[in-house]
Amino acid sequence: MFVQSVNYNNPINQLNEISKELVYFNFEGKVVFDLLLTNGNSSGRFLISSFTNSKFEMSSFRKTVVAKNIRNEIIIYYKKNQEYLSNSILSKKTIQSILNENV
């Protein structure tokens, strides 16, 4: 499962709401968070956690790396939803770099 932010608010602060959605879909497993709009394109951009028994295992949160093909899909998503980039901590230069990236 993959969770992306849609503005500068960190989705980690919305774990209760995310948990309800995951329970609704009977999901258990690994959840990857993309914090690009909150943390920028830094080493803390991607986090992974385990979701079991209807809750996140808080001790399982850690930084992770995602494959190039997934990063490309994220770029495509943000190109289609540019308003999310505008409502982030990203600089105009970084936003332009994302929009101009070839995938």
Side-chain angles (χ1 to χ4, degrees), residues 53-85:
N53 299 321
S54 301
K55 64 183 182 204
F56 284 98
E57 295 177 18
M58 299 310 286
S59 63
S60 71
F61 276 90
R62 66 183 185 281
K63 293 178 187 179
T64 192
V65 178
V66 300
K68 179 72 173 161
N69 65 320
I70 294 173
R71 291 175 79 94
N72 289 343
E73 290 297 320
I74 294 167
I75 295 297
I76 292 167
Y77 172 81
Y78 282 127
K79 284 183 176 186
K80 291 179 182 176
N81 298 281
Q82 294 179 25
E83 68 276 11
Y84 297 154
L85 296 172

Side-chain angles (χ1 to χ4, degrees), residues 30-101:
K30 300 289 184 187
V31 179
V32 176
F33 293 86
D34 179 2
L35 307 178
L36 173 66
L37 305 184
T38 303
N39 293 352
N41 196 18
S42 67
S43 64
R45 175 178 172 179
F46 296 103
L47 297 179
I48 191 167
S49 180
S50 295
F51 186 81
T52 55
N53 299 321
S54 301
K55 64 183 182 204
F56 284 98
E57 295 177 18
M58 299 310 286
S59 63
S60 71
F61 276 90
R62 66 183 185 281
K63 293 178 187 179
T64 192
V65 178
V66 300
K68 179 72 173 161
N69 65 320
I70 294 173
R71 291 175 79 94
N72 289 343
E73 290 297 320
I74 294 167
I75 295 297
I76 292 167
Y77 172 81
Y78 282 127
K79 284 183 176 186
K80 291 179 182 176
N81 298 281
Q82 294 179 25
E83 68 276 11
Y84 297 154
L85 296 172
S86 299
N87 196 16
S88 71
I89 63 134
L90 301 175
S91 69
K92 289 181 181 181
K93 182 179 178 181
T94 301
I95 291 171
Q96 282 307 309
S97 176
I98 291 168
L99 297 176
N100 294 331
E101 191 166 333

